[in-house]
Amino acid sequence: MFSAAPSLVPSQNDQHDQHDEHDPHDPSKDRSAEQPSPRPVTKRDAFFDNAKYLAIVLVAMGHTWEPLKGDSRVLTAAYVLVYTFHMPAFILISGFFSRSFDGSPGKLKRLVTGVVVPYIVFETAYPLLKTYVDGSPQDISLLDPYYLTWFLCALFIWRLTTPIWKLVRYPLPLALGIAMAASATPNIGDDLDLQRVLQFLPFFVLGLSLKAEHFRLVRRRSVRIAAVPVFVFALAFCWWAVPRMNSGWLYHRNSAQELGVPWWVGPVMQLALFGCSLLLTACFLSWVPGRTMWFTALGAGTLYGYLVHGLLLKTADYRGWFDHPALHRPLGEIAVTALVAVIVTLLCTRPVRRVLGFVVEPKMEWAFKPDAVTLAREREKRERGEKREQGGKGEKVGV
């Protein structure tokens, strides 16, 4: 990637479906199949909006460091550290806010408009950008996710399978088993980026299994304090591991054999990375503020930041802007990092969401038949109106 997501990600869409159970990277859920009465407006949870915004900033920073990291061992260590947990955190939150997905018509509509449509639009936009800006013809394939769009493809598959994960007795061990098997299976192929879908699956399933109190546990003061030495040690370990470890493991898009090691290393690395990613994700979440901050409202627009910042970074890459010598010095790396943080922040703002909402969160009422509950509601409303009119006429006659 985170998410996209959607955050992320996620969405959302988790990025968009944010507060399904309280009431997700958001715009509100559809309970029309359950409650005929109007839905109450509920307050968004600042903690999760803050977490999604901070995660998407880390995603953008990681993508910016990729073309620069070869010249700095410290930057490469920071890159490895961030890649260990930024997408797992985004995916876990996406799973948490997918718990209410039940395959009902309203949820499926949201899945199409909030995930499938943006996937088709940006899966088309990225190859076109490469063709016309880089001058290298790139085929458009909806089966082979390009660059960041893999998260939307994965989110679609994960969310469709949510009812299954809610049904089985031991969902997380099963998801881990699938991820471990995928890491040792090189012939899965590139269609729908299934390696990533399967290897990141445990984080989504874990999110489905969590409750709000689990997030409160990691936000305790003792955990926040403990997170400091954990991150310091993790950064030092990443610095040590830079020349010794293949960073391809962090992307979860290749099998062990494709990374040049025996098949059994894949399942072992899956378990090891899952544990490390989960620990760092908990430490990251412990530092996320729970109160409303200046960036809290931006958590609702993380999918915009995720999808659009990739277009800007690819443009810069195709134009050769990252090759400038000044950007490969410490001050240049810091400046670029700060710049991309500002850019992705602006991309999450309300004006950008208003401009791009027609492709990221389209309404598309014209594309769907009204479901039976909606039709029954409208019919009941008409009947009540007719009764009121008849009652009014009867009163006039009685007078």
Side-chain angles (χ1 to χ4, degrees):
M1 183 157 305
F2 213 83
S3 29
S7 154
L8 24 172
V9 239
S11 351
Q12 58 229 352
N13 188 317
D14 301 317
Q15 282 72 305
H16 306 248
D17 241 352
Q18 190 175 325
H19 302 340
D20 259 15
E21 293 227 352
H22 302 183
D23 3 81
H25 197 296
D26 297 293
S28 328
K29 47 203 188 287
D30 184 350
R31 295 189 184 272
S32 59
E34 304 171 17
Q35 301 175 0
S37 58
R39 289 171 292 168
V41 177
T42 56
K43 188 177 180 181
R44 296 178 64 89
D45 190 321
F47 169 75
F48 290 106
D49 276 332
N50 292 339
K52 292 198 306 177
Y53 165 75
L54 294 173
I56 208 65
V57 170
L58 289 175
V59 168
M61 288 166 55
H63 290 152
T64 304
W65 293 342
E66 191 163 357
L68 304 175
K69 62 184 174 63
D71 299 312
S72 169
R73 186 169 176 176
V74 173
L75 185 63
T76 305
Y79 173 87
V80 171
L81 177 65
V82 167
Y83 261 73
T84 303
F85 74 91
H86 71 346
M87 282 312 298
F90 209 75
I91 294 167
L92 185 144
I93 294 172
S94 297
F96 179 71
F97 287 114
S98 295
R99 292 173 300 163
S100 65
F101 184 87
D102 54 8
S104 62
K107 303 291 184 182
L108 291 173
K109 288 178 187 176
R110 294 276 311 280
L111 188 61
V112 171
T113 58
V115 178
V116 176
V117 172
Y119 173 75
I120 293 172
V121 171
F122 284 89
E123 180 65 10
T124 302
Y126 277 104
L128 289 177
L129 182 72
K130 183 172 180 61
T131 299
Y132 292 104
V133 176
D134 188 38
S136 304
Q138 179 75 33
D139 293 334
I140 297 172
S141 171
L142 297 182
L143 295 179
D144 187 10
Y146 190 86
Y147 195 36
L148 306 181
T149 57
W150 74 267
F151 177 69
L152 292 178
C153 182
L155 187 59
F156 176 76
I157 296 173
W158 293 333
R159 192 164 274 188
L160 274 183
T161 61
T162 293
I164 298 175
W165 300 113
K166 291 161 65 177
L167 178 66
V168 299
R169 188 181 296 273
Y170 304 110
L172 184 57
L174 177 58
L176 273 171
I178 291 173
M180 292 166 65
S183 69
T185 311
N187 57 355
I188 286 180
D190 295 328
D191 288 350
L192 301 180
D193 220 342
L194 280 181
Q195 276 288 2
R196 268 178 169 164
V197 173
L198 298 178
Q199 291 191 32
F200 274 118
L201 174 65
F203 297 102
F204 183 83
V205 173
L206 176 60
L208 289 174
S209 306
L210 293 178
K211 296 181 174 60
E213 53 263 32
H214 295 128
F215 289 93
R216 286 195 290 272
L217 287 176
V218 301
R219 294 164 61 192
R220 292 176 299 177
R221 179 180 174 81
S222 58
V223 179
R224 288 199 297 271
I225 294 173
V228 177
V230 170
F231 264 118
V232 170
F233 174 79
L235 182 59
F237 180 82
C238 290
W239 185 88
W240 173 86
V242 163
R244 297 174 173 85
M245 181 181 128
N246 186 344
S247 61
W249 290 107
L250 301 173
Y251 307 137
H252 294 280
R253 65 186 177 205
N254 297 111
S255 65
Q257 296 91 322
E258 291 169 316
L259 292 174
V261 295
W263 69 268
W264 58 267
V265 177
V268 172
M269 285 297 292
Q270 277 297 308
L271 282 178
L273 283 173
F274 180 77
C276 292
S277 298
L278 194 56
L279 175 62
L280 292 176
T281 295
C283 292
F284 163 71
L285 292 175
S286 74
W287 288 351
V288 173
R291 64 187 183 279
T292 300
M293 309 289 288
W294 64 266
F295 53 80
T296 300
L298 303 178
T302 50
L303 187 61
Y304 295 80
Y306 176 76
L307 292 172
V308 180
H309 92 272
L311 294 173
L312 301 180
L313 289 182
K314 280 298 182 183
T315 299
D317 187 28
Y318 297 151
R319 293 297 187 188
W321 296 344
F322 287 114
D323 297 332
H324 197 286
L327 300 184
H328 293 261
R329 302 188 185 104
L331 285 179
E333 293 164 356
I334 293 172
V336 172
T337 301
L339 178 61
V340 77
V342 171
I343 290 173
V344 78
T345 297
L346 294 175
L347 292 175
C348 295
T349 58
R350 192 174 297 275
V352 173
R353 291 161 58 193
R354 278 200 295 264
V355 172
L356 298 180
F358 74 101
V359 294
V360 180
E361 296 178 289
K363 300 298 182 185
M364 294 184 61
E365 295 298 334
W366 55 269
F368 302 104
K369 296 185 295 185
D371 60 84
V373 173
T374 302
L375 290 174
R377 238 188 234 147
E378 292 175 352
R379 185 167 55 250
E380 183 181 346
K381 187 176 179 180
R382 283 197 306 269
E383 290 174 354
R384 283 200 302 265
E386 291 172 358
K387 287 179 180 179
R388 278 197 298 268
E389 287 182 10
Q390 291 172 0
K393 290 177 182 178
E395 289 176 8
K396 290 180 181 179
V397 170
V399 172

